[in-house]
Every structure is written in C-alpha cells, then in structure tokens.
Amino acid sequence: MFVQEEKIFAGKVLRLHVCTVEGAEWLEEVSEDTTVEKLKERCLKHCVPGSLEDPKTVTHHKLIHATSEKVLTDTKTVLEENIQDRDVLLLIKKRAPPPLPKMADVSAEEKFQTELRKILVSLIEVAQKLLALNPDAVELFKKANAMLDEDEEDRVDEIALRQLTEMGFPESRAVKALRLNHMSVTQAMEWLIEHADDPTVDAPLPGQTPSEAPAEAGASSAEVTAGPSSEAGGEEAKDELTEIFKKIRRKREFRPDPRAVIALMEMGFDEKEVVDALRVNNNQQNAACEWLLGDRKPSPEDLDKGIDTNSPLFQAILENPVVQLGLTNPKTLLAFEDMLENPLNSTQWMNDPETGPVMLQISRIFQTLNRT
C-alpha cells in the first residue's frame, strides 16, 4: 500500500483559536509543520469569501500571537513560531499605504489648508472681540471651559477601548493608542504591538499632564467665579477673558505624533526642529521630513499670520449670517482654536450641530471665490 511521505512525517495536530477585530471567532486545526502563510490562507476562507482569488489578499493580512503580541512570519512553520495547542491568534488586515495624489490635487489641497489656517487665525480674533462685548462673557467661558474639560475626558470610544482591554492590553495604554490612532481599533492594536517593549510606551502624550490638569482647572474656575459689578469690574472681566483665552489655547496646543518625533530625531534632527516641522505639516511625517530637508517654508511663525481682513474672501465670510451668528457662540471659538492646532480634529467639528454649519459656509465661500 502506498502512503504519502508527508503524512508519515506530519507533525502533531494543534487546535488554535483564531479571532478577528470584527468579532469573528473559530477553531483551526493545523499540524506543526504548516507554514504561517498556509494557515493564513485557511483563516481567510472563514472571513473573506473568495479571498484566495486575489493573491494580494493573503499578503495584505497578518497573524499575530495574542499572548506574545508577535507578528508571525509567513515563511516559518507553526512549530518554528513556538505556537502551542489552544493558543489564540489574531487575524488583522495590514494598513494599506495611502495612494499617491496627483500633483494638481496636492497643490490645490495645500492652498486650501494654508488659506483655511489664515482664515481661522483672523476669525479667532473677531470672535474674541465679539464675545468680550457680551455682558455674560465670563460666565459663558466658564461653561465653555468646563465643556472643553469634559470633551477631553470623553474623547475615547468606550467600545473600542473595551475591545482592546478584552485582548489583554492595559487600559491606560489602550487609551493612549486610541488617541494616537484616531479611535481606530486596528491601528491602535498595531501600535500597541509595535511598542510593547518601548520603555516610553506609558509616557503621557505631549500636552497631557494629568497631575497639572486639576490645578489648572481649579485655577480657571476660581478666576471666573466673580462677575463684573462696576467699570473697574468690567476691566477685570476683560483681563479674566484674556486669561481664559490663553488657557483654552494652552489646552488645545499642538500635540506632535510621538512616533514621528522619534523617527525624525533618529535621522539627526533636533527635537524643536522636528516639532516645528510636524506642526507646519499637520503631523505628516513624510511632509515634515521634506520640510526639514528643504527650504523650511512656511515657517512656524507664518502659521500665526491671519488673512488680509480687507480681502473679498474675508469680507464675504464675515457678511454671511450663519458665520455671524456662529461667532457669538463660545463653542465656535473653541472649534477654531482646536482646528488651528490639531487639523485632524476638523471632522469632529464639521459633524457638530453647532459648529458644522459655520464651517460649511466658510468652505463654500472659499470654494466659490477660489473658482472665480
């Protein structure tokens, strides 16, 4: 009787628990001499029907050993990767590199971002002046400050956080990963695995100092408790508003991507230069690198320059009724400050029922005048 050689020397069979970020789970039986690539192919049949028709699908996924948080190598066998019976594996899709934009699109987008920043700088000045005229300005900003603190506390997606903690990641570390990766569970998990052995993995994000936050919050609360009662009180209220504006700006200060900071500093650049580059280029590492190697324009100082207040564009924005009404709302000022220092948060404010209509009108006016 003929017996296949591979069956005679086949390793022992292991039962592995495989799960995906989407929540699919199943048991996979494989022999020890099965390669990770073959195991991955078998796993993909469970969650991506017809996936093997496209050979790229296999390479676009990876298997991770849940306990060791190690990415398994396709060419190695189950035995070589020291996988044991009943081990848990995670099947996740690799992050696809963004498509290269056309040069025309790049220049149009750059122009829009540059002009939008200038518009925001000038609108912040107008909003501060309008809000300072409001007799209830101090009380309004006392509430706005509290709203800002609450927004910082509630920024983490609880469902996403639970998914990560159920995988065994520490809660504080999972919170940091989610904030760094814009609440994407997949990207946060990849970050956690990549930085598992990083000695600074638990360091607070730039701009986040929990020990100082309560003191600052308490100080701002104490400063705005008393309202103006006379002309002298009016001057005090102005001073209080100035201090509140400064505090809001500090809370919304630019936070450089720690991964990009480390990567660029390893190239030999000074930390301050790196932070400036990331601020100018909205935390885009490749663009920041080009800025550091190039003529370094625009400069960080240019970011604080507003638009010509006599220009047709700015006048059209100020004459818009929706914008006029929005400028009297403290939340609009908070939105402008946030987008100015953290452009990636613009989507959050565009979807906000109070600030979204204002941003939509600004965008429409800009696009209309830009075409003409």
Side-chain angles (χ1 to χ4, degrees):
M1 182 180 66
F2 175 75
V3 180
Q4 290 184 352
E5 183 181 352
E6 61 180 21
K7 290 186 178 180
I8 295 176
F9 298 101
K12 72 175 183 179
V13 175
L14 304 178
R15 298 187 71 193
L16 306 175
H17 187 87
V18 185
C19 56
T20 67
V21 176
E22 291 76 21
E25 298 180 33
W26 67 91
L27 286 174
E28 195 74 55
E29 292 188 355
V30 294
S31 61
E32 288 181 320
D33 55 1
T34 303
T35 64
V36 173
E37 185 175 21
K38 289 293 182 184
L39 173 58
K40 192 162 55 174
E41 289 179 1
R42 291 173 59 173
C43 292
L44 286 168
K45 290 179 181 178
H46 287 271
C47 55
V48 189
S51 63
L52 298 183
E53 294 176 6
D54 182 4
K56 290 183 180 178
T57 305
V58 179
T59 59
H60 287 172
H61 288 76
K62 57 186 175 184
L63 281 170
I64 298 173
H65 191 268
T67 305
S68 64
E69 301 178 0
K70 175 187 176 185
V71 179
L72 304 181
T73 306
D74 286 355
T75 55
K76 291 186 177 181
T77 65
V78 170
L79 179 63
E80 290 172 334
E81 288 288 19
N82 197 29
I83 298 173
Q84 306 296 320
D85 192 39
R86 301 289 181 176
D87 277 357
V88 179
L89 303 181
L90 304 175
L91 177 68
I92 66 172
K93 191 172 184 179
K94 294 179 182 177
R95 221 183 312 176
L100 293 174
K102 297 177 181 178
M103 290 307 296
D105 296 337
V106 171
S107 48
E109 180 65 20
E110 285 178 351
K111 181 178 180 182
F112 174 73
Q113 291 297 335
T114 302
E115 290 301 313
L116 179 60
R117 184 175 183 86
K118 291 180 180 178
I119 292 169
L120 291 177
V121 169
S122 296
L123 284 178
I124 286 172
E125 293 178 5
V126 175
Q128 287 181 348
K129 291 176 182 177
L130 287 174
L131 288 164
L133 296 174
N134 191 323
D136 300 321
V138 173
E139 188 62 29
L140 282 171
F141 273 93
K142 180 179 177 182
K143 294 177 181 177
N145 230 8
M147 177 183 66
L148 185 59
D149 290 334
E150 182 181 351
D151 178 59
E152 286 294 328
E153 293 170 4
D154 297 339
R155 193 174 288 275
V156 177
D157 185 329
E158 291 298 326
I159 297 175
L161 179 60
R162 188 168 62 251
Q163 281 183 275
L164 291 174
T165 53
E166 286 177 352
M167 292 178 189
F169 297 111
E171 183 175 341
S172 59
R173 196 174 294 184
V175 168
K176 179 178 180 179
L178 287 169
R179 284 177 173 161
L180 280 173
N181 293 279
H182 315 297
M183 298 302 131
S184 168
V185 176
T186 303
Q187 294 180 17
M189 183 169 61
E190 290 181 5
W191 184 90
L192 285 164
I193 292 167
E194 289 172 7
H195 295 78
D197 299 323
D198 188 342
T200 62
V201 66
D202 293 315
L205 293 173
Q208 290 185 339
T209 50
S211 59
E212 296 176 9
E216 182 176 296
S220 60
S221 303
E223 287 177 9
V224 296
T225 50
S229 56
S230 61
E231 187 175 340
E235 289 300 319
E236 289 176 7
K238 270 189 175 182
D239 293 339
E240 288 178 27
L241 277 176
T242 301
E243 288 304 310
I244 292 172
F245 291 148
K246 288 179 181 178
K247 284 184 172 62
I248 290 173
R249 191 65 177 268
R250 282 200 297 271
K251 286 181 182 179
R252 290 302 194 186
E253 68 183 0
F254 174 71
R255 297 173 183 170
D257 183 344
R259 292 172 293 179
V261 171
I262 294 170
L264 292 171
M265 286 182 66
E266 286 176 349
M267 297 174 65
F269 296 110
D270 178 75
E271 183 176 1
K272 184 184 181 303
E273 292 178 321
V274 169
V275 172
D276 285 344
L278 290 170
R279 181 168 178 249
V280 169
N281 293 281
N282 300 334
N283 258 336
Q284 301 299 311
Q285 182 178 324
N286 291 340
C289 182
E290 292 181 10
W291 184 88
L292 287 165
L293 296 170
D295 57 8
R296 303 196 178 190
K297 292 183 180 179
S299 68
E301 291 74 23
D302 292 337
L303 298 182
D304 297 322
K305 293 179 181 177
I307 192 173
D308 180 3
T309 53
N310 295 318
S311 67
L313 173 59
F314 194 68
Q315 291 301 315
I317 291 173
L318 288 184
E319 290 169 6
N320 185 278
V322 176
V323 176
Q324 289 177 358
L325 185 62
L327 290 175
T328 62
N329 183 349
K331 194 172 184 180
T332 304
L333 178 57
L334 296 178
F336 289 167
E337 292 278 12
D338 192 20
M339 287 186 287
L340 196 63
E341 299 304 332
N342 300 288
L344 293 175
N345 291 344
S346 58
T347 303
Q348 168 193 336
W349 297 111
M350 287 291 290
N351 294 329
D352 187 280
E354 293 183 61
T355 59
V358 178
M359 294 307 303
L360 181 61
Q361 291 301 318
I362 293 172
S363 176
R364 284 178 174 172
I365 294 169
F366 177 86
Q367 299 297 343
T368 300
L369 293 183
N370 193 45
R371 284 195 297 268
T372 57

